[in-house]
Amino acid sequence: MRVCVIGAGASGMMASIVLARGGADVALVEKNEKFGKKLYITGKGRCNLTNDCELDDMFANVVHGEKFLRSSLYGFTPQDTMAFFEDSGLKLVVERGNRVFPFSQKSSDVIKTLQIEIANLKVETYLGTEVKEIRKNADGFKVVTPWESLECDKVVVATGGMSYPSTGSTGDGYAFARAFGLKIVEPRQALVPIIVKQNVSALQGISLKNVNLCAIDENGKEIASEFGEMLFTNRGLSGPIALTISSYINRKQNVRLSLDLKPALDENTLDKRILRDFDERKNQDIKNVTRALLPERLNAYVLKCANIAESKKVNEITKQERAKLVETIKNLRFDVSALAPFSEAIVTAGGVDLKCLKPTCECKDVEGLYFVGETIDVDALTGGFNLQLAFATAVCAARDILKSAQG
């Protein structure tokens, strides 16, 4: 059984190893000059390779494709991923939120572990080799490169999505899929900063903790709500909760965001707090009083949104203005203009439509052709979940190929 794996990222390398361990003759083709180019920058160069959680938590962190992924994730759990790397000689450490990293804190060690195993298994590798076309013939497939055509029985496409295109993720797999008549769900940025219509350039660099961000659709229905840390950019919102929200709104139109700057206080309690501060400092400018609640630049922005002049004396503030201030602090509105480009996205949502695939990641209508990892319409939140999906789908496809060979 000869198998051609296209793409030497996380899923491509894993698929090659499992196939070679099972006795398959494997050719691994990568258009970059080295393995794991995108893997190298994941987790800010530390490589959060999985999450040491139970499967229920794993599925809860899947944004798209949870039902489809059940076969893959039950077959290769996060704990299986950890065991795979530890058995291959890579020491791991589990950090906050069950995030799993190499003990060395170097993504290069994850890549090196996979490379060594690939070399030991004598996988035939083709670096700097771009696949131009995949052809189906009576005997299997022909994978066409600029220099030669590779004959094989099965093909695994592991070319990634479109996020971080500088690493080679430029949607090659979608072109291969379309050539075989497969439907592509429009690729969209996921885990990416959100660009808003309001001018927030004055807030750039402000980091907030313990705030709540809610996304609301054009019908007023809540799409998602996240509590935690957030960061303002010159164009919009970033940081953990904004990135998470982006994955839930990337297929929606006319989304607005509501930022609660004081979620620990309900409106009544916040009003009493502000009123107490007003009573103590009646003759001061309001900007000097509300500064106790908010960072200086954000304070100025909130007062502007509440239509209150910064220099207005506290004893001149009306009850209606105070109510508007409370409402603005609890519901600071932003209208989504767009998501930041793929060059800033951690992962890609969309890809090969799951309806075109069996749970084993094999095409329903093209026997022997498999799509794994970020090429298919699955994505998850941050925390090692997306790499786990890449590894699990690769293992699922590889095992199916080995099973068919035995049959």
Side-chain angles (χ1 to χ4, degrees):
M1 172 73 70
R2 182 161 171 78
V3 185
C4 184
V5 178
I6 306 172
S11 55
M13 287 191 283
M14 180 63 83
S16 298
I17 290 169
V18 175
L19 285 164
R21 284 181 176 179
D25 176 14
V26 183
L28 176 58
V29 186
E30 168 57 51
K31 71 177 182 181
N32 287 319
E33 71 286 352
K34 56 186 177 182
F35 294 151
K37 201 167 181 180
K38 184 178 177 184
L39 198 57
Y40 185 76
I41 62 172
T42 60
K44 297 180 180 178
R46 298 198 300 140
C47 193
N48 180 192
L49 53 88
T50 191
N51 190 287
D52 187 17
C53 64
E54 297 300 320
L55 281 177
D56 284 348
D57 291 332
M58 180 76 219
F59 290 122
N61 281 277
V62 174
V63 180
H64 297 109
E66 180 263 347
K67 185 177 179 181
F68 175 86
L69 289 163
R70 288 190 170 266
S71 293
S72 297
L73 289 169
Y74 276 112
F76 197 73
T77 66
Q79 291 70 36
D80 291 330
T81 298
M82 293 173 68
F84 169 88
F85 281 101
E86 288 174 329
D87 292 345
S88 299
L90 182 67
K91 190 175 180 182
L92 304 176
V93 61
V94 181
E95 298 185 4
R96 179 174 57 90
N98 296 320
R99 297 170 186 237
V100 180
F101 294 89
F103 184 80
S104 66
Q105 303 289 295
K106 294 179 180 178
S107 58
S108 56
D109 287 341
V110 176
I111 299 167
K112 191 182 300 180
T113 300
L114 294 166
Q115 274 186 290
I116 290 171
E117 189 65 11
I118 285 169
N120 289 342
L121 291 165
K122 294 180 170 52
V123 171
E124 191 177 343
T125 57
Y126 297 81
L127 292 176
T129 303
E130 184 175 2
V131 173
K132 296 295 186 181
E133 186 183 2
I134 304 171
R135 297 176 189 164
K136 184 86 168 74
N137 54 42
D139 299 323
F141 295 88
K142 183 178 287 188
V143 175
V144 182
T145 77
W147 302 283
E148 62 183 307
S149 294
L150 305 175
E151 302 280 353
C152 56
D153 301 297
K154 310 274 187 179
V155 175
V156 178
V157 180
T159 50
M162 294 182 67
S163 60
Y164 296 127
S166 61
T167 65
S169 296
T170 51
D172 298 0
Y174 309 145
F176 300 145
R178 287 191 184 99
F180 283 99
L182 276 65
K183 180 183 175 183
I184 302 298
V185 176
E186 183 183 351
R188 300 176 187 272
Q189 307 93 308
L191 300 177
V192 67
I194 302 170
I195 300 171
V196 299
K197 294 178 182 178
Q198 288 80 0
N199 182 1
V200 294
S201 57
L203 305 179
Q204 182 177 4
I206 294 177
S207 179
L208 302 174
K209 292 184 178 181
N210 302 321
V211 295
N212 197 84
L213 185 64
C214 180
I216 301 158
D217 70 14
E218 55 191 344
N219 299 315
K221 183 180 178 182
E222 181 181 303
I223 302 168
S225 182
E226 291 293 323
F227 173 84
E229 299 178 16
M230 200 201 81
L231 173 72
F232 283 102
T233 70
N234 66 326
R235 301 174 298 168
L237 317 181
S238 188
I241 61 174
L243 296 184
T244 295
I245 290 289
S246 75
S247 288
Y248 289 108
I249 65 172
N250 57 16
R251 304 185 191 203
K252 306 282 187 180
Q253 300 293 324
N254 303 318
V255 176
R256 64 182 171 91
L257 304 173
S258 173
L259 177 61
D260 186 347
L261 295 165
K262 296 293 175 183
L265 306 176
D266 61 27
E267 289 197 4
N268 186 49
T269 305
L270 179 59
D271 185 48
K272 288 180 180 178
R273 158 75 191 272
I274 291 173
L275 194 58
R276 186 171 66 249
D277 291 346
F278 281 8
D279 287 340
E280 293 173 357
R281 306 167 74 179
K282 292 180 181 178
N283 298 317
Q284 293 191 22
D285 293 350
I286 187 170
K287 68 177 181 180
N288 295 326
V289 179
T290 52
R291 195 178 293 165
L293 283 170
L294 303 166
E296 186 173 356
R297 286 181 289 144
L298 182 57
N299 181 41
Y301 183 88
V302 166
L303 288 172
K304 184 178 180 180
C305 290
N307 294 315
I308 301 172
E310 292 182 49
S311 58
K312 192 168 187 177
K313 301 299 180 184
V314 166
N315 57 20
E316 298 175 347
I317 299 295
T318 66
K319 183 178 180 181
Q320 290 74 22
E321 286 177 317
R322 196 179 78 244
K324 181 63 175 176
L325 176 61
V326 169
E327 180 192 348
T328 305
I329 292 172
K330 293 290 291 179
N331 180 21
L332 189 57
R333 175 172 176 154
F334 298 101
D335 298 293
V336 176
S337 171
L339 298 181
F342 277 108
S343 58
E344 299 177 44
I346 295 175
V347 294
T348 305
V352 177
D353 193 328
L354 302 180
K355 293 176 183 176
C356 299
L357 304 175
K358 300 175 184 177
T360 57
C361 299
E362 183 182 20
C363 295
K364 290 179 178 177
D365 296 331
V366 187
E367 185 180 348
L369 179 63
Y370 294 75
F371 288 84
V372 298
E374 217 173 330
T375 61
I376 64 178
D377 184 23
V378 298
D379 66 286
L381 303 181
T382 54
F385 301 107
N386 284 289
L387 271 180
Q388 177 59 35
L389 301 190
F391 293 136
T393 53
V395 171
C396 186
R399 286 174 174 169
D400 191 63
I401 290 170
L402 294 171
K403 184 179 178 181
S404 69
Q406 292 170 356

